[in-house]
Amino acid sequence: DLNLFERRTPAIVCIPFKNELLSQNTLLWRNLMDPIYVTGHQNPDTDSICSAIAYANLKRQISDNATYIAKRAGQLNAETEYVLGRFGVEEPSYLSNVRLQVWDVDVNCIEGIDGNTSIKNAWATMKKQNVYTIAITNDNKLEGVISTGDIAMSYMDVYDSRILSIAKTQYKNIMDAVDGETIVGDEEQYFTVGKVVVAASSPDRMEAVIEKGDLVILGNRYEVQLCAIELEASCIVVCGEDKVTRTIRKLAEERGIVIITTPHDTFTTARLVNQSMPVSHFMKKDGLTIFNTTDFVEDIKKDVARDRSRDFPVIDKKGDFYGFISSRRLMDASKKKVILVDHNEKGQSVDGIEEADILEIIDHHRLGGLETVGPVYFRNQPVGCTATIIYTMYRENDVEIDKTTAALLCSAIISDTLLFRSPTCTIVDEMVAKELAQIAEIDMQELAQ
């Protein structure tokens, strides 16, 4: 659906191909993401609009590996609106400029995650999505970003036994990290005070170690569990397969202590618990280089070159998080591809034409000195209307022209030649118009009026 594609909705941009399909459709997908615009001049007349529509239609029929979209570079006049309305043709969408913008490049539209998401789940999401950076959002507003490198660095803080409480870790994150189950207490609460203690010694030794509010990792030893409860730990994580006694559960419930059970041994649990910390504690939120979907690529390349980040967050016009774009994609981004019809002068063309990749020019006017980066297909014939050239190209390519397209091209010739009364009109224009009128089954005199 080209209409959806033109609006660049995530539903179109972010289609997740399976690996086997991706290899078969890579060329098709790249072409969808890299359309070729066919456009007339900034003050479009009927010839400019109808020729763009007809030529885009021809190119789609003779080219298998590209997407051609007719555009308008300015406001339609009343005559052109009448022609499109009469023959039931939708008005081409407006192309304000052809400078490359961020949303024209391959933006990865992966959704953001909540700040309370654990390091473990963030890592799993990044592996699943095959990305190195992920956004932390709140109501779709960007709060920060975290990368695989940031997660790796988070493990350097494990020497600090209070890191979980400093990070304000939710108990359900702890339960998830140790593959456990909450059997007592509210898992939605947060661990905000105290340190992590591994209760490997006798109860007498533990009295000197456990403080109020601590999170205690212990085995299924009744006396150690009771000691942790009496010393007012905020949470105890019981390792092993054995069940926690009813007495311990009741005592913990009375004192508001959370009990989490895990099938892992004490060593494994102590290692896994650090994965429960929320990403908000480790995310980068200051000094981020953020781009807008409408930013021009040429304007931001200097910022990309200065910043050593691998991926950059992108927001849309509303300030909502849109996705990530890689530095490589930005620096290697190709220009917008355009085909110009009914003009060949820079001053008449769409804004930013000097930054675009002009592939073809189809025109009937004098040469206006437009410069191109590389060689182009340039067809300029001394006739009274571009539509005459377009119809000739249909015939040359042996493409049957439908009634609607014939009506548009005939209307363009009638308009540009003033029904053959213009001094620029040629015998070729008149012959082509009559053929088109016959195909479209229209009365040229009536249509001209």
Short mmCIF file of all heavy atoms in Angstrom, two decimals, residues 118 120-121 124 171-183 187 237-241 259-265 268-276:
data_model
loop_
_atom_site.label_atom_id
_atom_site.label_comp_id
_atom_site.label_asym_id
_atom_site.label_seq_id
_atom_site.Cartn_x
_atom_site.Cartn_y
_atom_site.Cartn_z
N SER A 118 14.27 -5.22 34.09
CA SER A 118 15.53 -5.72 34.64
C SER A 118 16.61 -5.80 33.56
O SER A 118 16.32 -5.86 32.36
CB SER A 118 15.33 -7.10 35.26
OG SER A 118 15.03 -8.06 34.26
N LYS A 120 18.35 -8.32 33.02
CA LYS A 120 18.18 -9.63 32.39
C LYS A 120 17.20 -9.55 31.22
O LYS A 120 17.50 -10.04 30.12
CB LYS A 120 17.67 -10.63 33.43
CG LYS A 120 17.33 -12.00 32.85
CD LYS A 120 16.74 -12.93 33.90
CE LYS A 120 16.37 -14.28 33.30
NZ LYS A 120 15.77 -15.19 34.30
N ASN A 121 16.03 -8.93 31.43
CA ASN A 121 15.03 -8.86 30.38
C ASN A 121 15.44 -7.90 29.26
O ASN A 121 15.09 -8.11 28.10
CB ASN A 121 13.68 -8.44 30.97
CG ASN A 121 13.04 -9.56 31.78
OD1 ASN A 121 13.31 -10.73 31.56
ND2 ASN A 121 12.20 -9.19 32.74
N ALA A 124 17.74 -9.86 27.12
CA ALA A 124 16.98 -10.83 26.33
C ALA A 124 16.28 -10.15 25.15
O ALA A 124 16.25 -10.68 24.05
CB ALA A 124 15.95 -11.54 27.21
N TYR A 171 10.99 -6.29 43.64
CA TYR A 171 11.11 -7.69 44.07
C TYR A 171 10.73 -8.67 42.95
O TYR A 171 11.30 -9.75 42.85
CB TYR A 171 10.23 -7.94 45.30
CG TYR A 171 10.79 -7.32 46.55
CD1 TYR A 171 10.05 -6.39 47.29
CD2 TYR A 171 12.07 -7.64 47.01
CE1 TYR A 171 10.56 -5.81 48.43
CE2 TYR A 171 12.59 -7.06 48.15
CZ TYR A 171 11.83 -6.14 48.87
OH TYR A 171 12.34 -5.56 50.00
N LYS A 172 9.78 -8.27 42.09
CA LYS A 172 9.42 -9.19 41.01
C LYS A 172 10.57 -9.33 40.00
O LYS A 172 10.69 -10.37 39.36
CB LYS A 172 8.13 -8.73 40.32
CG LYS A 172 8.24 -7.49 39.47
CD LYS A 172 6.91 -7.25 38.77
CE LYS A 172 6.98 -6.04 37.84
NZ LYS A 172 5.67 -5.81 37.17
N ASN A 173 11.42 -8.31 39.90
CA ASN A 173 12.61 -8.44 39.07
C ASN A 173 13.58 -9.45 39.66
O ASN A 173 14.22 -10.23 38.95
CB ASN A 173 13.31 -7.09 38.91
CG ASN A 173 12.64 -6.19 37.88
OD1 ASN A 173 11.62 -6.55 37.31
ND2 ASN A 173 13.20 -5.02 37.66
N ILE A 174 13.71 -9.40 40.99
CA ILE A 174 14.58 -10.35 41.68
C ILE A 174 14.06 -11.76 41.49
O ILE A 174 14.82 -12.70 41.19
CB ILE A 174 14.68 -9.99 43.17
CG1 ILE A 174 15.34 -8.61 43.34
CG2 ILE A 174 15.45 -11.06 43.94
CD1 ILE A 174 15.31 -8.08 44.75
N MET A 175 12.75 -11.93 41.66
CA MET A 175 12.13 -13.24 41.47
C MET A 175 12.38 -13.76 40.06
O MET A 175 12.74 -14.92 39.86
CB MET A 175 10.62 -13.12 41.72
CG MET A 175 9.83 -14.40 41.46
SD MET A 175 8.05 -14.08 41.36
CE MET A 175 7.96 -13.18 39.80
N ASP A 176 12.22 -12.89 39.06
CA ASP A 176 12.41 -13.30 37.68
C ASP A 176 13.87 -13.64 37.40
O ASP A 176 14.17 -14.61 36.68
CB ASP A 176 11.94 -12.17 36.75
CG ASP A 176 12.14 -12.51 35.28
OD1 ASP A 176 11.50 -13.45 34.80
OD2 ASP A 176 12.95 -11.82 34.62
N ALA A 177 14.79 -12.87 37.95
CA ALA A 177 16.22 -13.08 37.69
C ALA A 177 16.70 -14.43 38.20
O ALA A 177 17.56 -15.06 37.59
CB ALA A 177 17.04 -11.96 38.32
N VAL A 178 16.13 -14.88 39.32
CA VAL A 178 16.57 -16.15 39.91
C VAL A 178 15.65 -17.30 39.53
O VAL A 178 15.72 -18.39 40.13
CB VAL A 178 16.69 -16.03 41.45
CG1 VAL A 178 17.70 -14.97 41.82
CG2 VAL A 178 15.34 -15.76 42.10
N ASP A 179 14.76 -17.05 38.56
CA ASP A 179 13.80 -18.07 38.12
C ASP A 179 12.98 -18.60 39.28
O ASP A 179 12.74 -19.81 39.41
CB ASP A 179 14.54 -19.24 37.43
CG ASP A 179 15.39 -18.77 36.26
OD1 ASP A 179 14.88 -17.98 35.43
OD2 ASP A 179 16.57 -19.16 36.19
N GLY A 180 12.57 -17.67 40.13
CA GLY A 180 11.91 -18.08 41.36
C GLY A 180 10.41 -17.84 41.40
O GLY A 180 9.76 -17.58 40.39
N GLU A 181 9.88 -17.91 42.63
CA GLU A 181 8.45 -17.71 42.88
C GLU A 181 8.29 -16.96 44.21
O GLU A 181 8.97 -17.28 45.19
CB GLU A 181 7.73 -19.07 42.96
CG GLU A 181 6.26 -18.96 43.29
CD GLU A 181 5.61 -20.32 43.49
OE1 GLU A 181 6.32 -21.35 43.37
OE2 GLU A 181 4.40 -20.35 43.78
N THR A 182 7.42 -15.97 44.22
CA THR A 182 7.15 -15.23 45.45
C THR A 182 6.05 -15.96 46.21
O THR A 182 4.92 -16.08 45.73
CB THR A 182 6.70 -13.79 45.14
OG1 THR A 182 7.71 -13.14 44.37
CG2 THR A 182 6.46 -13.01 46.42
N ILE A 183 6.38 -16.45 47.41
CA ILE A 183 5.38 -17.22 48.18
C ILE A 183 4.82 -16.42 49.34
O ILE A 183 3.78 -16.77 49.88
CB ILE A 183 5.98 -18.55 48.68
CG1 ILE A 183 7.16 -18.29 49.62
CG2 ILE A 183 6.39 -19.43 47.51
CD1 ILE A 183 7.66 -19.56 50.29
N GLU A 187 5.27 -8.71 45.64
CA GLU A 187 6.40 -8.66 44.70
C GLU A 187 6.48 -7.34 43.93
O GLU A 187 7.48 -7.05 43.28
CB GLU A 187 6.32 -9.81 43.71
CG GLU A 187 5.11 -9.75 42.79
CD GLU A 187 5.00 -10.96 41.89
OE1 GLU A 187 5.44 -12.06 42.30
OE2 GLU A 187 4.46 -10.81 40.78
N VAL A 237 15.66 -14.93 50.17
CA VAL A 237 15.60 -15.77 48.98
C VAL A 237 16.07 -17.15 49.40
O VAL A 237 17.24 -17.35 49.76
CB VAL A 237 16.48 -15.22 47.84
CG1 VAL A 237 16.39 -16.12 46.62
CG2 VAL A 237 16.07 -13.79 47.50
N VAL A 238 15.16 -18.12 49.36
CA VAL A 238 15.45 -19.47 49.82
C VAL A 238 15.85 -20.33 48.63
O VAL A 238 15.09 -20.49 47.67
CB VAL A 238 14.23 -20.08 50.54
CG1 VAL A 238 14.56 -21.49 51.04
CG2 VAL A 238 13.79 -19.19 51.69
N CYS A 239 17.05 -20.90 48.68
CA CYS A 239 17.57 -21.69 47.57
C CYS A 239 17.28 -23.17 47.78
O CYS A 239 17.15 -23.65 48.90
CB CYS A 239 19.09 -21.49 47.46
SG CYS A 239 19.58 -19.76 47.29
N GLY A 240 17.21 -23.89 46.67
CA GLY A 240 16.98 -25.33 46.75
C GLY A 240 15.53 -25.69 46.49
O GLY A 240 14.65 -24.84 46.37
N GLU A 241 15.29 -26.98 46.43
CA GLU A 241 13.97 -27.48 46.08
C GLU A 241 13.03 -27.65 47.28
O GLU A 241 11.82 -27.78 47.10
CB GLU A 241 14.11 -28.84 45.35
CG GLU A 241 14.89 -28.78 44.05
CD GLU A 241 14.13 -28.05 42.95
OE1 GLU A 241 12.92 -27.83 43.11
OE2 GLU A 241 14.75 -27.70 41.93
N ILE A 259 9.24 -13.39 50.78
CA ILE A 259 9.98 -14.65 50.64
C ILE A 259 9.91 -15.09 49.18
O ILE A 259 8.82 -15.24 48.62
CB ILE A 259 9.45 -15.76 51.55
CG1 ILE A 259 9.62 -15.38 53.02
CG2 ILE A 259 10.18 -17.08 51.27
CD1 ILE A 259 9.14 -16.47 53.98
N ILE A 260 11.07 -15.31 48.60
CA ILE A 260 11.17 -15.81 47.22
C ILE A 260 11.90 -17.14 47.26
O ILE A 260 12.95 -17.27 47.91
CB ILE A 260 11.95 -14.81 46.33
CG1 ILE A 260 11.19 -13.48 46.24
CG2 ILE A 260 12.18 -15.39 44.94
CD1 ILE A 260 11.97 -12.38 45.53
N THR A 261 11.36 -18.12 46.59
CA THR A 261 12.04 -19.42 46.50
C THR A 261 12.62 -19.58 45.09
O THR A 261 12.05 -19.11 44.11
CB THR A 261 11.07 -20.58 46.77
OG1 THR A 261 9.99 -20.55 45.83
CG2 THR A 261 10.51 -20.49 48.18
N THR A 262 13.76 -20.24 45.01
CA THR A 262 14.42 -20.48 43.72
C THR A 262 14.97 -21.89 43.68
O THR A 262 15.43 -22.41 44.71
CB THR A 262 15.56 -19.46 43.48
OG1 THR A 262 16.28 -19.83 42.30
CG2 THR A 262 16.52 -19.42 44.64
N PRO A 263 14.94 -22.53 42.52
CA PRO A 263 15.48 -23.90 42.43
C PRO A 263 17.01 -23.93 42.39
O PRO A 263 17.61 -25.00 42.51
CB PRO A 263 14.89 -24.41 41.10
CG PRO A 263 14.69 -23.17 40.28
CD PRO A 263 14.29 -22.10 41.25
N HIS A 264 17.65 -22.76 42.23
CA HIS A 264 19.10 -22.73 42.09
C HIS A 264 19.81 -22.83 43.44
O HIS A 264 19.22 -22.53 44.48
CB HIS A 264 19.53 -21.43 41.39
CG HIS A 264 18.95 -21.28 40.01
ND1 HIS A 264 19.21 -22.16 38.99
CD2 HIS A 264 18.12 -20.33 39.50
CE1 HIS A 264 18.56 -21.78 37.89
NE2 HIS A 264 17.90 -20.66 38.18
N ASP A 265 21.09 -23.20 43.40
CA ASP A 265 21.88 -23.24 44.63
C ASP A 265 22.29 -21.82 45.01
O ASP A 265 22.06 -20.85 44.27
CB ASP A 265 23.10 -24.14 44.46
CG ASP A 265 24.00 -23.70 43.30
OD1 ASP A 265 24.26 -22.49 43.17
OD2 ASP A 265 24.44 -24.58 42.53
N THR A 268 24.75 -19.90 42.50
CA THR A 268 24.08 -19.48 41.27
C THR A 268 23.12 -18.34 41.53
O THR A 268 23.04 -17.38 40.76
CB THR A 268 23.33 -20.67 40.64
OG1 THR A 268 24.25 -21.75 40.41
CG2 THR A 268 22.67 -20.28 39.34
N THR A 269 22.39 -18.43 42.63
CA THR A 269 21.42 -17.38 42.97
C THR A 269 22.12 -16.05 43.21
O THR A 269 21.67 -14.99 42.74
CB THR A 269 20.62 -17.78 44.21
OG1 THR A 269 19.94 -19.02 43.96
CG2 THR A 269 19.60 -16.71 44.58
N ALA A 270 23.24 -16.09 43.94
CA ALA A 270 23.99 -14.86 44.22
C ALA A 270 24.51 -14.24 42.92
O ALA A 270 24.63 -13.01 42.81
CB ALA A 270 25.14 -15.16 45.17
N ARG A 271 24.82 -15.07 41.94
CA ARG A 271 25.31 -14.57 40.66
C ARG A 271 24.17 -13.98 39.82
O ARG A 271 24.33 -12.95 39.18
CB ARG A 271 25.99 -15.70 39.89
CG ARG A 271 26.60 -15.29 38.57
CD ARG A 271 27.37 -16.44 37.95
NE ARG A 271 26.54 -17.61 37.74
CZ ARG A 271 25.80 -17.80 36.65
NH1 ARG A 271 25.77 -16.89 35.69
NH2 ARG A 271 25.09 -18.90 36.51
N LEU A 272 23.01 -14.65 39.86
CA LEU A 272 21.89 -14.22 39.03
C LEU A 272 21.18 -12.98 39.57
O LEU A 272 20.59 -12.21 38.81
CB LEU A 272 20.86 -15.36 38.90
CG LEU A 272 21.29 -16.60 38.10
CD1 LEU A 272 20.20 -17.65 38.16
CD2 LEU A 272 21.59 -16.22 36.65
N VAL A 273 21.22 -12.79 40.86
CA VAL A 273 20.42 -11.71 41.47
C VAL A 273 20.82 -10.34 40.96
O VAL A 273 20.01 -9.41 40.91
CB VAL A 273 20.51 -11.78 43.02
CG1 VAL A 273 21.86 -11.25 43.50
CG2 VAL A 273 19.37 -11.01 43.65
N ASN A 274 22.07 -10.19 40.53
CA ASN A 274 22.51 -8.88 40.02
C ASN A 274 21.84 -8.53 38.69
O ASN A 274 21.82 -7.36 38.31
CB ASN A 274 24.04 -8.88 39.85
CG ASN A 274 24.76 -8.92 41.17
OD1 ASN A 274 24.66 -8.01 41.97
ND2 ASN A 274 25.47 -10.00 41.41
N GLN A 275 21.29 -9.53 38.00
CA GLN A 275 20.60 -9.26 36.75
C GLN A 275 19.21 -8.66 36.97
O GLN A 275 18.53 -8.31 36.01
CB GLN A 275 20.46 -10.55 35.94
CG GLN A 275 21.78 -11.17 35.54
CD GLN A 275 21.59 -12.45 34.74
OE1 GLN A 275 20.52 -12.72 34.20
NE2 GLN A 275 22.65 -13.26 34.66
N SER A 276 18.82 -8.52 38.22
CA SER A 276 17.48 -7.99 38.51
C SER A 276 17.44 -6.48 38.55
O SER A 276 16.37 -5.88 38.55
CB SER A 276 17.01 -8.54 39.87
OG SER A 276 17.83 -8.03 40.92
#
